[in-house]
Amino acid sequence: MTIYKKLIYTITLLSLVFLTITACSTKEEPKMSDKEVAIEWANMTLFITRYTPSNSPTFASRAFGYTGLTMYESIVQGFPDYKSMNGQLKGLKSLPVADDSKEYNWVLSLNAGQSEILKNIYVQTSEENIKKIDSLEQVIYDQLASTLDKETVSRSVAFGKSVAQTIFEWSKTDGGHRGYLNNFDKAMVHPNRPGAWKPPLFAQSFSHYPLHPHWGENRTFASKNKQLEDPKMIPYDTTPGSPYYQQFENVYLKDQELTQLEKEAAIWWGDDPDVSFTPPGHSYYFATLAIDGHDISMIESAKTYAQVGMAVSDAFVNCWKWKYQFFTERPNTFIPRFIDEEWESFWPDPPFPSFPSGHAIQAAAAATVLEHNFGKEFTFTDRAHEGRKRDELKETDFVIRSFNTFWDAAQETADSRFYGGIHTQLDNEVGLEKGVEIAKNVYALEWKIKNEK
């Protein structure tokens, strides 16, 4: 049975392939397994990400970090071999402690915690979406509460919500709280130097100001681990044949010979926040495919979501730090000026500097975490945009993707930005390299007390 058939109550297939609880059904359905509860909350997180206004890849990545961490922390004290992140993450020191002398139902704790953190992180979501969150919480609660004594039920729910509330309060201090209210800094002065980013005419956003210029100042999750070195950028040089010039010339030449398969990859990985669950959401979805495709426990599922969420969140913070440190231009400004004045990229530019690639860095971070947990070999099909209407402007369909490894998907994610004409190969190569480093910092945290992977 695939993940798309596992929701328990009446479900609606929206423009994405993800499903969400809509209303209670009178039909009695089989009980969810513990792992399925974790998966359904991941599906709900993706749905809320997709259908909440004023979202961005930066803000969404942060949401996945806190939602995944909350899933893990709401149950970890029920599993003696696993270790809390309390005290391991900067500033996170006061998570609630379960009473060892009393009984908890950890599924109810997870259920309550996920509902609480989602409604707090996405406080700007619609009332309709809040009802969907509440509906899923109630469905799972009803399946379990009648089989337990009232004190255990109350204690378990209260514990999960308390964990979520503590993590949410901690999240307010990271620099990204309600970041969607400050997407653009109108007081920002653009660096005025050769090769600096400029708003292109062909873009996803026509703001003169780049997105979240201060995001790189935010606190990361794996703050205490190995310090990341800054990447190196090729020196600016417009001389034909120079390394800098060749980077952009390669983009231009690739655009002249794009195959249909490459065009399909370019649009598949766009993950525009206006019409999808964003690039980090795509990675969170891959975590679900991996979890659903393996026989693992609820705690291992929660650990996977926490690690992937934290890795993509840290990837965006570091990526945005470097983007505004280097503030590099994109092909849409270099190529028309120095190679072909009539050139436009296949895919429109996003509203922020180029180096390194955000798609590449977060995809590599997620793939590295998933390889660490499940091994390199895993055959899966990406149906994230299955059923979307053909892009008539680009004369290209949304075609599902199949991969034999997590890294194959990360590599295609990076390559797709080169095919789209919005990133150089250097942007992607550095993004992939740094994504691996960021992921290692996340899974190097002490997740297990014994027999740590």
Side-chain angles (χ1 to χ4, degrees), residues 316-336:
F316 270 88
V317 171
N318 283 288
C319 185
W320 252 244
K321 178 183 73 173
W322 292 322
K323 280 183 181 294
Y324 288 92
Q325 176 181 327
F326 293 97
F327 210 75
T328 57
E329 65 186 323
R330 289 182 181 268
N332 265 314
T333 54
F334 183 91
I335 293 174

Side-chain angles (χ1 to χ4, degrees), residues 31-167:
K31 180 182 175 182
M32 293 185 199
S33 70
D34 294 355
K35 184 177 83 169
E36 287 171 334
V37 170
I39 288 174
E40 291 315 318
W41 276 113
N43 286 342
M44 180 61 75
T45 301
L46 289 167
F47 177 85
I48 298 301
T49 300
R50 163 68 182 90
Y51 291 100
T52 297
S54 303
N55 211 348
S56 66
T58 37
F59 186 79
S61 69
R62 177 181 179 274
F64 292 118
Y66 287 113
T67 304
L69 176 63
T70 300
M71 184 185 291
Y72 179 75
E73 291 295 338
S74 66
I75 66 173
V76 66
Q77 293 181 49
F79 298 85
D81 290 344
Y82 292 78
K83 191 169 183 178
S84 169
M85 294 292 103
N86 198 44
Q88 296 196 62
L89 307 181
K90 187 176 181 180
L92 185 63
K93 300 176 181 178
S94 56
L95 282 172
V97 178
D99 187 338
D100 290 340
S101 68
K102 295 181 179 178
E103 182 181 353
Y104 293 80
N105 181 281
W106 297 109
V107 179
L108 282 178
S109 294
L110 183 153
N111 185 50
Q114 288 295 278
S115 174
E116 188 75 12
I117 194 67
L118 261 181
K119 288 184 287 190
N120 278 283
I121 290 290
Y122 278 120
V123 68
Q124 81 275 28
T125 201
S126 67
E127 285 298 318
E128 182 181 359
N129 284 348
I130 295 296
K131 290 178 181 178
K132 292 181 187 297
I133 294 171
D134 290 341
S135 177
L136 178 56
E137 181 184 13
Q138 190 66 47
V139 166
I140 296 167
Y141 177 91
D142 288 345
Q143 288 188 356
L144 295 169
S146 62
T147 66
L148 302 165
D149 64 87
K150 291 182 179 179
E151 289 78 12
T152 298
V153 170
S154 177
R155 184 184 308 117
S156 303
V157 170
F159 182 79
K161 289 190 179 295
S162 180
V163 167
Q165 289 161 1
T166 302
I167 289 176

Side-chain angles (χ1 to χ4, degrees), residues 15 25 56 95 106 119 138 142 166 239 253 258 282 325 346 387 394 408 432:
S15 59
S25 169
S56 66
L95 282 172
W106 297 109
K119 288 184 287 190
Q138 190 66 47
D142 288 345
T166 302
T239 305
L253 293 175
L258 277 180
H282 216 137
Q325 176 181 327
F346 178 77
K394 296 176 177 59
D408 286 347
L432 291 173

Side-chain angles (χ1 to χ4, degrees), residues 58 61-62 174 214-221 228 310-324 361 438:
T58 37
S61 69
R62 177 181 179 274
D174 73 349
H214 307 294
W215 199 262
E217 301 165 18
N218 291 356
R219 180 185 64 218
T220 56
F221 284 95
L228 297 170
M310 291 163 62
V312 298
S313 181
D314 282 6
F316 270 88
V317 171
N318 283 288
C319 185
W320 252 244
K321 178 183 73 173
W322 292 322
K323 280 183 181 294
Y324 288 92
I361 197 170
I438 289 163

Side-chain angles (χ1 to χ4, degrees), residues 32 49 172 196 208 232 247 274 315 402 405 409 438 445:
M32 293 185 199
T49 300
K172 292 180 180 178
H208 179 72
K232 299 189 184 308
Q247 286 290 317
D274 289 338
S402 293
T405 70
I438 289 163
L445 294 162

